Amino acid sequence: MIHYELMLLLRVMPKTELKTVLKRTANMIFEKGGIIRKLENLGTRDMPYKTSVHGVVYNKASYFLYEFNVPPTSIDQLLDEYGRDIDIIRRRIYKKIEPEQFECTLDDELKPPPYRKDVLALVEQSKKGDKPKFKYNTGLDYYPFQK
Amino acid sequence: MNSLLRRVPSYSIISNNSLRKLCSTDAPDFNMENPFEKDKQQCILCKQNIQVDYKNVRLLSQFQSPYTGRIYGKHITGLCAKQQDKLEKEIVKAQSAGLMATYLKEPVFLQDPELFDVEKPLRPHRF
Ligand SMILES: [Zn+2]
C-alpha cells in the first residue's frame, strides 16, 4: 500500500469543536478502507498568505498532518469531501517520500563543457545526423593521390 | 627465410619494457593513478546527507530570495542537479500546502545563516 501524507489547514476554533472536526476527517479515511499511521499537530500560526474559502478570508490556521494508507482510487473522493467541509481551509495529499541514496554529481557538473558527460552525449548525438563519408578502403589513414 | 628466423637466439628478442626493467630496478611505475588528483566535490545537502522535505520550511526558505520569493538557480545554490530538482519540487509542494510564502521569504527566517553567496554565482546570469 502506498503511504500518503495529508496536510490539513483547519480554521481556528475551540478544542471541543476541533475534536469533532478531526474525528470527522479521520472517519472519512476509515470509510474508504484506510489505516491512519500518524496524526500530528503542527500548531496554530499565521498563514504565509491569506486564503479565502467558503466565502470567508482566513489569515490564521491550525496545521495538522495525517499519515495514512488508503487505496489510490479513493484519493480523489477524499479531496472532494474535504473540499466541501467548511472547517477546512486547505488540504493537500502527497505521497510520502522515501529517503534515497544517490551519488553526488556536482564534481562532474563543475568540469569545463567538453569534459562533462551530458555534453559528450550531446556531441555524440549530433554526429548521428552527419552525412555518410565515402571510404576509399586503401588501408591508409591519408589520401595517397593529389587532390 | 624461415630457417633464418629460427636461428636467431632467443635472448636477443627482449621487449623494450623488460629491457628497462633489467637495467634498473627502481624504474617508476607509470600505471599508477594520478597522485595529484583533488578530492571529489560534493554539494552541501549530499555532504551532510540531508533529505529535503516539504515540511522542513526553514531549510527550504534558505534557498529562496528574500526580495521576490523565487527559488535560486543551481549556479547560485551550488547543488547537484538531482538535489536541486528535488528541492524545487519540495518548495512547490510546501507553497501549495500553505506552509511556505510565495512572494517573499517569511520575516522569521530572514536572520538565518546564508548557505551560499548570492553575489557570486558560478556563471553569470541575466539579472
Ligand atoms: Zn549533491
Side-chain angles (χ1 to χ4, degrees):
Chain A
M1 273 229 234
I2 308 166
H3 241 83
Y4 291 107
E5 279 178 330
L6 165 67
M7 197 73 212
L8 268 188
L9 308 205
L10 301 181
R11 149 180 98 79
V12 181
M13 47 192 148
K15 229 174 186 178
T16 45
E17 248 182 280
L18 197 67
K19 203 175 124 188
T20 53
V21 173
L22 286 176
K23 222 169 218 175
R24 195 165 66 223
T25 47
N27 272 332
M28 282 182 201
I29 296 175
F30 292 138
E31 280 161 23
K32 302 281 177 293
I35 312 156
I36 294 181
R37 302 271 174 195
K38 199 162 97 180
L39 169 54
E40 216 173 325
N41 183 1
L42 302 183
T44 302
R45 68 171 182 113
D46 286 333
M47 279 188 287
Y49 44 85
K50 66 176 179 183
T51 313
S52 101
V53 271
H54 312 300
V56 192
V57 178
Y58 295 100
N59 285 306
K60 258 187 159 191
S62 308
Y63 288 69
F64 284 92
L65 180 80
Y66 284 80
E67 254 177 49
F68 61 101
N69 297 126
V70 90
T73 45
S74 54
I75 289 293
D76 282 342
Q77 300 167 23
L78 270 179
L79 283 173
D80 178 50
E81 276 176 47
Y82 290 147
R84 279 184 277 122
D85 195 325
I86 54 163
D87 292 322
I88 296 173
I89 300 173
R90 198 172 258 274
R91 72 273 182 248
R92 287 286 180 279
I93 294 179
Y94 296 124
K95 256 188 220 172
K96 193 183 164 138
I97 40 167
E98 302 297 329
E100 54 167 336
Q101 295 295 327
F102 54 87
E103 197 97 328
C104 190
T105 54
L106 183 71
D107 200 52
D108 186 51
E109 285 163 37
L110 290 181
K111 282 179 189 164
Y115 296 98
R116 261 181 254 155
K117 265 176 207 160
D118 50 342
V119 174
L120 285 178
L122 277 179
V123 170
E124 202 60 33
Q125 204 189 4
S126 73
K127 272 182 192 165
K128 270 184 197 169
D130 284 353
K131 277 183 185 171
K133 215 178 164 189
F134 181 75
K135 282 177 190 146
Y136 294 103
N137 283 336
T138 51
L140 300 169
D141 55 352
Y142 59 92
Y143 186 65
F145 311 110
Q146 218 169 14
K147 250 185 181 171
Chain B
M1 187 67 198
N2 231 349
S3 57
L4 250 174
L5 264 179
R6 225 176 286 134
R7 231 175 285 152
V8 175
S10 62
Y11 56 80
S12 68
I13 314 170
I14 303 172
S15 73
N16 201 12
N17 209 8
S18 55
L19 193 71
R20 201 196 288 142
K21 267 185 190 163
L22 278 176
C23 295
S24 67
T25 47
D26 58 346
D29 182 11
F30 289 106
N31 290 326
M32 70 191 290
E33 48 195 278
N34 184 3
F36 303 109
E37 202 164 87
K38 286 174 187 165
D39 287 341
K40 254 198 160 186
Q41 274 183 295
Q42 274 194 318
C43 67
I44 189 161
L45 293 181
C46 287
K47 200 192 273 173
Q48 308 290 342
N49 198 14
I50 297 169
Q51 294 290 334
V52 199
D53 190 35
Y54 73 99
K55 283 160 289 178
N56 192 352
V57 183
R58 182 149 226 154
L59 172 75
L60 295 181
S61 71
Q62 283 181 303
F63 297 93
Q64 196 183 28
S65 162
Y67 306 108
T68 59
R70 291 187 63 184
I71 310 163
Y72 285 124
K74 203 170 66 166
H75 58 296
I76 299 175
T77 58
L79 298 178
C80 60
K82 179 137 188 180
Q83 287 283 20
Q84 177 78 16
D85 190 48
K86 279 173 87 179
L87 179 88
E88 283 170 14
K89 276 179 186 161
E90 294 300 306
I91 287 182
V92 169
K93 270 162 82 176
Q95 287 172 339
S96 163
L99 288 165
M100 195 176 163
T102 46
Y103 277 91
L104 68 148
K105 191 185 211 158
E106 274 179 82
V108 264
F109 302 138
L110 282 178
Q111 301 304 319
D112 285 353
E114 284 174 8
L115 299 179
F116 43 84
D117 192 356
V118 182
E119 299 299 324
K120 284 183 186 163
L122 278 173
R123 57 177 171 74
H125 46 69
R126 59 199 172 88
F127 303 114

CSV table of all heavy atoms in Angstrom, one decimal, chain B residues 73-97:
chain,number,residue,atom,x,y,z
B,73,GLY,N,18.7,29.6,-8.6
B,73,GLY,CA,19.1,28.6,-9.5
B,73,GLY,C,20.3,27.7,-9.0
B,73,GLY,O,20.9,28.0,-8.0
B,74,LYS,N,20.6,26.7,-9.8
B,74,LYS,CA,21.6,25.7,-9.5
B,74,LYS,C,23.0,26.4,-9.4
B,74,LYS,O,23.9,26.1,-8.6
B,74,LYS,CB,21.6,24.7,-10.6
B,74,LYS,CG,22.2,23.4,-10.1
B,74,LYS,CD,22.0,22.3,-11.2
B,74,LYS,CE,22.7,22.6,-12.5
B,74,LYS,NZ,22.7,21.5,-13.4
B,75,HIS,N,23.2,27.4,-10.3
B,75,HIS,CA,24.5,28.1,-10.3
B,75,HIS,C,24.7,29.0,-9.1
B,75,HIS,O,25.8,29.4,-8.9
B,75,HIS,CB,24.7,28.9,-11.6
B,75,HIS,CG,23.6,29.9,-11.8
B,75,HIS,ND1,22.3,29.6,-11.9
B,75,HIS,CD2,23.7,31.3,-11.9
B,75,HIS,CE1,21.6,30.7,-12.1
B,75,HIS,NE2,22.4,31.7,-12.0
B,76,ILE,N,23.7,29.3,-8.4
B,76,ILE,CA,23.8,30.1,-7.2
B,76,ILE,C,23.8,29.2,-5.9
B,76,ILE,O,24.7,29.4,-5.0
B,76,ILE,CB,22.6,31.1,-7.1
B,76,ILE,CG1,22.7,32.0,-8.3
B,76,ILE,CG2,22.7,31.9,-5.8
B,76,ILE,CD1,21.5,33.0,-8.3
B,77,THR,N,22.9,28.2,-5.9
B,77,THR,CA,22.9,27.4,-4.7
B,77,THR,C,24.1,26.4,-4.6
B,77,THR,O,24.4,26.0,-3.5
B,77,THR,CB,21.6,26.6,-4.7
B,77,THR,OG1,21.6,25.7,-5.8
B,77,THR,CG2,20.4,27.4,-4.6
B,78,GLY,N,24.7,26.1,-5.7
B,78,GLY,CA,25.8,25.1,-5.7
B,78,GLY,C,25.4,23.7,-5.4
B,78,GLY,O,26.2,23.0,-4.8
B,79,LEU,N,24.2,23.3,-5.7
B,79,LEU,CA,23.7,22.0,-5.5
B,79,LEU,C,23.9,21.1,-6.8
B,79,LEU,O,24.0,21.7,-7.9
B,79,LEU,CB,22.2,21.9,-5.1
B,79,LEU,CG,21.8,22.6,-3.8
B,79,LEU,CD1,20.3,22.6,-3.6
B,79,LEU,CD2,22.5,22.0,-2.6
B,80,CYS,N,23.9,19.8,-6.6
B,80,CYS,CA,24.0,19.0,-7.8
B,80,CYS,C,22.6,18.9,-8.5
B,80,CYS,O,21.6,19.3,-7.8
B,80,CYS,CB,24.5,17.6,-7.5
B,80,CYS,SG,23.5,16.7,-6.3
B,81,ALA,N,22.6,18.5,-9.7
B,81,ALA,CA,21.3,18.6,-10.5
B,81,ALA,C,20.2,17.9,-9.8
B,81,ALA,O,19.0,18.4,-9.7
B,81,ALA,CB,21.6,18.0,-11.9
B,82,LYS,N,20.4,16.7,-9.2
B,82,LYS,CA,19.4,15.9,-8.6
B,82,LYS,C,18.8,16.6,-7.4
B,82,LYS,O,17.6,16.6,-7.2
B,82,LYS,CB,19.9,14.5,-8.3
B,82,LYS,CG,18.9,13.6,-7.7
B,82,LYS,CD,18.9,12.2,-8.2
B,82,LYS,CE,17.7,11.5,-7.7
B,82,LYS,NZ,17.6,10.1,-8.1
B,83,GLN,N,19.7,17.1,-6.5
B,83,GLN,CA,19.3,17.7,-5.3
B,83,GLN,C,18.5,19.0,-5.6
B,83,GLN,O,17.5,19.3,-5.0
B,83,GLN,CB,20.5,18.1,-4.4
B,83,GLN,CG,21.1,16.9,-3.7
B,83,GLN,CD,20.3,16.4,-2.5
B,83,GLN,OE1,19.1,16.6,-2.4
B,83,GLN,NE2,21.0,15.6,-1.7
B,84,GLN,N,18.9,19.7,-6.6
B,84,GLN,CA,18.3,21.0,-7.0
B,84,GLN,C,16.8,20.7,-7.5
B,84,GLN,O,15.9,21.3,-7.1
B,84,GLN,CB,19.1,21.7,-8.0
B,84,GLN,CG,18.4,23.0,-8.6
B,84,GLN,CD,18.6,24.1,-7.6
B,84,GLN,OE1,19.4,24.1,-6.7
B,84,GLN,NE2,17.8,25.2,-7.8
B,85,ASP,N,16.8,19.6,-8.3
B,85,ASP,CA,15.5,19.2,-8.8
B,85,ASP,C,14.5,18.8,-7.7
B,85,ASP,O,13.3,19.2,-7.7
B,85,ASP,CB,15.7,18.0,-9.7
B,85,ASP,CG,14.4,17.6,-10.5
B,85,ASP,OD1,13.8,18.6,-11.1
B,85,ASP,OD2,14.1,16.5,-10.6
B,86,LYS,N,15.0,18.0,-6.7
B,86,LYS,CA,14.2,17.6,-5.6
B,86,LYS,C,13.8,18.8,-4.8
B,86,LYS,O,12.6,19.0,-4.4
B,86,LYS,CB,15.0,16.6,-4.7
B,86,LYS,CG,15.0,15.2,-5.2
B,86,LYS,CD,15.9,14.4,-4.4
B,86,LYS,CE,15.2,13.8,-3.2
B,86,LYS,NZ,16.1,12.9,-2.4
B,87,LEU,N,14.7,19.7,-4.5
B,87,LEU,CA,14.5,20.9,-3.8
B,87,LEU,C,13.3,21.8,-4.4
B,87,LEU,O,12.4,22.2,-3.7
B,87,LEU,CB,15.7,21.8,-3.7
B,87,LEU,CG,15.6,23.1,-2.9
B,87,LEU,CD1,15.9,22.8,-1.4
B,87,LEU,CD2,16.6,24.1,-3.4
B,88,GLU,N,13.4,22.0,-5.7
B,88,GLU,CA,12.4,22.8,-6.3
B,88,GLU,C,11.0,22.1,-6.2
B,88,GLU,O,10.0,22.8,-6.0
B,88,GLU,CB,12.8,23.0,-7.8
B,88,GLU,CG,13.9,24.0,-8.0
B,88,GLU,CD,14.4,24.1,-9.4
B,88,GLU,OE1,13.8,23.5,-10.3
B,88,GLU,OE2,15.5,24.7,-9.5
B,89,LYS,N,11.0,20.8,-6.4
B,89,LYS,CA,9.7,20.1,-6.3
B,89,LYS,C,9.1,20.3,-4.9
B,89,LYS,O,7.9,20.5,-4.7
B,89,LYS,CB,9.9,18.7,-6.6
B,89,LYS,CG,9.8,18.4,-8.1
B,89,LYS,CD,10.0,17.0,-8.4
B,89,LYS,CE,10.1,16.8,-9.9
B,89,LYS,NZ,10.7,15.5,-10.3
B,90,GLU,N,10.0,20.1,-3.9
B,90,GLU,CA,9.5,20.2,-2.5
B,90,GLU,C,9.1,21.6,-2.1
B,90,GLU,O,8.1,21.8,-1.4
B,90,GLU,CB,10.6,19.8,-1.5
B,90,GLU,CG,11.0,18.3,-1.6
B,90,GLU,CD,9.9,17.3,-1.4
B,90,GLU,OE1,9.2,17.4,-0.3
B,90,GLU,OE2,9.6,16.5,-2.2
B,91,ILE,N,9.7,22.6,-2.7
B,91,ILE,CA,9.3,24.0,-2.4
B,91,ILE,C,7.9,24.3,-3.0
B,91,ILE,O,7.1,24.9,-2.4
B,91,ILE,CB,10.4,25.0,-3.0
B,91,ILE,CG1,11.6,25.0,-2.1
B,91,ILE,CG2,9.8,26.4,-3.0
B,91,ILE,CD1,12.7,25.9,-2.5
B,92,VAL,N,7.7,23.8,-4.2
B,92,VAL,CA,6.4,24.0,-4.8
B,92,VAL,C,5.3,23.3,-4.0
B,92,VAL,O,4.2,23.8,-3.8
B,92,VAL,CB,6.4,23.4,-6.3
B,92,VAL,CG1,5.0,23.4,-6.8
B,92,VAL,CG2,7.3,24.3,-7.1
B,93,LYS,N,5.7,22.1,-3.5
B,93,LYS,CA,4.7,21.3,-2.6
B,93,LYS,C,4.4,22.1,-1.4
B,93,LYS,O,3.2,22.3,-1.0
B,93,LYS,CB,5.3,20.0,-2.3
B,93,LYS,CG,5.0,18.9,-3.2
B,93,LYS,CD,5.9,17.7,-3.1
B,93,LYS,CE,5.5,16.7,-2.0
B,93,LYS,NZ,6.4,15.6,-2.0
B,94,ALA,N,5.4,22.7,-0.7
B,94,ALA,CA,5.3,23.4,0.5
B,94,ALA,C,4.4,24.7,0.3
B,94,ALA,O,3.6,25.0,1.1
B,94,ALA,CB,6.6,23.8,1.1
B,95,GLN,N,4.7,25.3,-0.8
B,95,GLN,CA,3.9,26.6,-1.1
B,95,GLN,C,2.5,26.2,-1.4
B,95,GLN,O,1.6,27.0,-1.0
B,95,GLN,CB,4.6,27.3,-2.3
B,95,GLN,CG,5.9,28.0,-1.9
B,95,GLN,CD,6.6,28.5,-3.1
B,95,GLN,OE1,6.3,28.1,-4.2
B,95,GLN,NE2,7.5,29.4,-2.9
B,96,SER,N,2.3,25.1,-2.1
B,96,SER,CA,0.9,24.7,-2.4
B,96,SER,C,0.1,24.3,-1.2
B,96,SER,O,-1.1,24.5,-1.1
B,96,SER,CB,0.9,23.6,-3.4
B,96,SER,OG,-0.3,23.0,-3.5
B,97,ALA,N,0.8,23.7,-0.2
B,97,ALA,CA,0.1,23.2,1.0
B,97,ALA,C,-0.1,24.4,2.0
B,97,ALA,O,-0.6,24.1,3.1
B,97,ALA,CB,1.0,22.1,1.6
